[in-house]
Amino acid sequence: MALIDIKLPEVKIPVSEGQNFTVRGITFEDLDFLISVNAVEINALAAMLAATVGQDSDQADKSAAATMAAMQTTRPTLAAQIIACASGDNSPEAIAIARSLPVTVQTEALIKITHLTFEVNGGIKKFIELLVGTITLIHDLNKADSESSTGSTG
């Protein structure tokens, strides 16, 4: 199968009878946008999600979903931005609509987005393990490059 043939998993979020919108998992492009407008909030969210690393996979996924759902009361603008990004439109108009959605709709959307972002491909624990492994590898490669260019061995 070619990359162009891949259909990313999506879920419909009901708003009212006959009205719904579709969400998908968060991408690196979404993260880039979210970090550019919410660096402090994203760091706080990352710290909360990182706290789930010591938990077993099922508990970590449940904690991540709970963290995302609770965010709508502590960081409502960030919650609306995440919902808008996952719907494929991070425009100010889409963010305003996401922010005006009923609490139950926002909660369901954030839980589904968390599931599509993390659980579908191995869970939050696997994601953080991959991220830490990648950062470690990059650090080790940079250290080896630095040592070889200076002639140092340790």
Side-chain angles (χ1 to χ4, degrees), residues 2 13 19 32 42 69 81 89 104 120 124 127 135 140-141 152:
I13 307 296
Q19 289 191 314
D32 183 47
I42 292 293
Q81 290 168 335
D89 182 358
T104 54
V120 169
I124 184 81
F127 171 75
I135 291 169
D140 291 348
L141 289 172
S152 172

Side-chain angles (χ1 to χ4, degrees), residues 49-103:
L49 293 174
T52 67
V53 171
Q55 300 172 348
D56 66 63
S57 292
D58 287 342
Q59 186 58 42
D61 291 340
K62 289 176 186 173
S63 294
T67 297
M68 292 290 282
M71 185 177 49
Q72 72 194 39
T73 58
T74 59
R75 295 176 173 84
T77 300
L78 178 58
Q81 290 168 335
I82 290 170
I83 293 167
C85 283
S87 76
D89 182 358
N90 65 8
S91 70
E93 296 82 10
I95 293 166
I97 292 169
R99 190 168 182 156
S100 71
L101 292 169
V103 172

